[in-house]
């Protein structure tokens, strides 16, 4: 059984795809009523709260692997890792560098037998203005990009319910895009998967209904 730890955009899609492939999958849902569609798709929906370790322990029963998707709140991620370790060492995927956090905190170092880092990207470099053009072309109506400040971005995330510290971190991370931090294309996706990376245009085409 694979446990996916939240039911937002990433966790829902991961659960849905695993269930579609016939893989036993459970999802820890903060609010199960929001994800009735996942239950209908064959996902085992278990109510839980990442701030309540006991509820994670219940969801962890019989689990061999965990897809750790969290709202980026470290204490919640440690709660999941602790629970997985207590349950007999279920493998935790995604954000698994946190497995090394204790070593980093206590010794200022960490060990690993791998020195390989992948930098997966799409097939082309796109600005947000480019993304607006692609959206307009595919959807057949004018979609515009409205630049906002880092402060406005942070406030929008707070208004959407994120804790201030998380909103601050995420807004700062987004400003790195403006500095060119994501302005590159690699061959990692075709090298690993043996097929080209999917274009943004293809992604918008696939999800046109969602954007409409
Ligand atoms: N989506 C992306 O493209 C993307 C890109 C880079 C990084 N990330 C990171 O990936 C993570 C997940 O992203 P996402 O887009 O899937 O997020 P999302 O759509 O905002 O979903 C967040 C989920 O976390 C749940 N949640 C919040 N507090 C919880 C708690 N205490 N216990 C259990 N569940 C709780 C929410 O449930 P309720 O709504 O029911 O409260 C919701 O299902 C985030 O850390 C995000 O920063 C996402």
């Amino acid at each position: 059984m694979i446990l996916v730890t939240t039911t937002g955009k990433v966790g829902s899609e991961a659960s849905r795809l695993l269930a579609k492939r016939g893989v036993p999958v459970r999802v820890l849902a903060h609010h199960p009523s929001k994800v009735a569609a996942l239950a209908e798709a064959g996902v085992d929906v278990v109510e839980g709260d990442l701030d309540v370790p006991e509820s994670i322990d219940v969801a962890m029963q019989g689990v061999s692997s965990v897809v750790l998707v969290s709202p980026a709140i470290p204490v919640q991620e440690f709660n999941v890792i602790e629970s997985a370790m207590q349950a007999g060492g279920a493998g935790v995927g995604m954000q698994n560098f946190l497995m090394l956090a204790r070593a980093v905190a206590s010794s200022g170092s960490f060990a690993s037998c791998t020195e390989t880092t992948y930098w997966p990207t799409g097939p082309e470099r796109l600005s947000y203005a480019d993304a607006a053009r692609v959206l307009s072309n595919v959807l057949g109506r004018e979609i515009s990009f409205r630049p906002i400040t880092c402060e406005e971005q942070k406030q929008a995330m707070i208004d959407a319910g994120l804790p201030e510290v998380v909103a601050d971190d995420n807004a700062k991370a987004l400003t790195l895009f403006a500095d060119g931090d994501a302005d590159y294309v690699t061959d990692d996706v075709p090298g690993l998967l043996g097929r080209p990376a999917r274009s943004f245009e293809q992604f918008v085409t696939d999800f046109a209904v969602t954007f409409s």
Side-chain angles (χ1 to χ4, degrees):
M1 174 73 81
I2 294 179
L3 174 67
V4 180
T5 56
T6 45
T7 55
K9 293 180 287 301
V10 176
S12 289
E13 187 64 1
S15 310
R16 194 186 62 75
L17 289 172
L18 286 165
K20 194 175 163 192
R21 291 181 186 189
V23 178
V25 55
R26 177 179 298 150
V27 73
L28 181 144
H30 204 197
H31 300 101
S33 57
K34 288 186 185 174
V35 289
L38 287 183
E40 282 163 23
V43 178
D44 182 19
V45 177
V46 172
E47 184 167 1
D49 185 331
L50 295 177
D51 283 320
V52 180
E54 298 76 20
S55 71
I56 305 174
D57 292 343
V58 170
M60 195 66 71
Q61 284 169 21
V63 165
S64 57
S65 297
V66 179
V67 180
L68 173 50
V69 192
S70 81
I73 297 174
V75 69
Q76 296 184 349
E77 295 172 344
F78 283 121
N79 284 344
V80 174
I81 293 167
E82 286 289 336
S83 178
M85 287 165 69
Q86 275 172 25
V92 180
M94 298 180 77
Q95 305 185 2
N96 51 10
F97 216 76
L98 280 170
M99 299 286 274
L100 304 169
R102 195 170 283 175
V104 170
S106 62
S107 70
S109 68
F110 61 90
S112 170
C113 63
T114 171
E115 292 182 340
T116 304
T117 301
Y118 294 109
W119 298 94
T121 69
E124 61 201 329
R125 288 156 35 185
L126 290 175
S127 67
Y128 277 94
D130 295 330
R133 261 192 298 279
V134 172
L135 282 160
S136 302
N137 290 341
V138 175
L139 301 178
R141 65 182 200 281
E142 186 65 25
I143 306 294
S144 58
F145 162 55
R146 292 177 291 105
I148 54 174
T149 64
C150 182
E151 270 310 308
E152 288 169 326
Q153 184 90 59
K154 174 179 163 183
Q155 192 56 48
M157 287 188 265
I158 291 171
D159 293 346
L162 258 68
E164 182 166 355
V165 62
V166 178
D168 193 44
D169 272 358
N170 283 348
K172 282 181 184 149
L174 285 171
T175 64
L176 295 176
F177 288 7
D179 293 340
D181 200 55
D183 194 10
Y184 59 86
V185 170
T186 72
D187 287 330
D188 284 353
V189 169
L192 286 165
L193 301 183
R195 61 161 175 78
R198 200 161 53 143
S199 66
F200 183 66
E201 182 177 16
Q202 186 62 54
F203 163 75
V204 177
T205 303
D206 291 349
F207 285 84
V209 171
T210 310
F211 286 112
S212 301

